Amino acid sequence: MMEYYEKIMLHFLQNPGEHQLYAGQQLSKSLIEKDVSPEEILSIHLSTMKNNGFVLPHEWEISFKFLMEIMVSFGMAYQERQSLRLRKKQLDSEITVATSMQQNLYPHDFNHSFHDLDVGYISTPARDMSGDFYYFTHYGQGRFGTLVADIVGKGIPAAMCMSMIKYAMDTFENDVKPANMILSDLNRLVLKNADPSLFVTMLNTIYDPSSSILTYSSAGHEPALHYDAETGAFSDLNTKGLILGVDPHVIFEQKSLLLKSGDFLVLYTDGVTERKDSDTADDNSLLREALLILDFTLPAQEIVHQAYQHIIDQKDYQLDDDHTIVMLRKK
């Protein structure tokens, strides 16, 4: 490397031209790949000058010593920067793979109709990866299950936790357990396998088309919003239950609701309730406002999209958190 440097530098001194400059540029790439520091390059340059009889004035030689000291610090900072760039590139690659895997966890090509239910849903991440999760499944005795969760803690650990919950829910397919017992099973799973820094809020519902009864149970999640078509009134569906991953002995309360024609239920995550630049406590009033201006004769999927659009309009499209909305409407 030193011999090649000497060769192209002497050629340049004898015949300064673009060809020699281009050769120098190519050499610089090789020096970077071989982790040659700036002070080493400067040392090679000075040695080449002296070895070929070029005498520097005393002041110039002293100035190069000063420059050498600067290059030592510069070189260390440069190498650290290169290392950080490499680590970022590797991390970006891992995040891309994890994001792709996460997308495969969500329902695809979902049939929006289940017996007498019309289903709509949307989930938008604030960044590449989401901490929100929604899931649909068919339980035993012809029942339909809907789950919405928010994993407190983002990134790859949250995605791994989400994957664990998804595959656990797969095992409950055709099960006859009630909604609160499923939360108990998931709580033990999170406690045993998830990172201790992760906590999960979750709302689980099971709808029985034979009786039009919907049962629901919550693990510290935002209450579902129920619309009564007869009275035109909204109400919150609250149940007691601690977030998943904290207490192995927690008991999750379960309640039931008779759905009548035109009634609907909206499940959501806390990103939906957050108002922009507001000092008031978050509630679901923003979601209620969005729903009240919509035409309820539209398909559930269209209502969800329009409600989401109204909410992000109110926030000037500044999404600081993930947004998930799921709607279940009785036909």
Side-chain angles (χ1 to χ4, degrees), residues 155-166:
I156 294 176
M160 293 176 65
C161 183
M162 189 182 300
S163 174
M164 178 181 65
I165 292 171
K166 191 269 183 187

Side-chain angles (χ1 to χ4, degrees), residues 151 157-158 160-162 164-165 186-200 244-245:
I151 301 174
M160 293 176 65
C161 183
M162 189 182 300
M164 178 181 65
I165 292 171
L186 292 175
N187 182 49
R188 288 191 290 271
L189 181 74
V190 171
L191 275 165
K192 184 177 180 180
N193 299 290
D195 188 292
S197 65
L198 293 178
F199 303 105
V200 183
L244 305 183

Side-chain angles (χ1 to χ4, degrees), residues 18 21 74 80 102 104 162 165 214 234 248 251 280:
E18 292 297 325
L21 285 176
F74 177 84
E80 182 179 357
Q102 186 183 55
N104 291 328
M162 189 182 300
I165 292 171
L214 181 137
F234 286 104
I251 296 175
T280 59

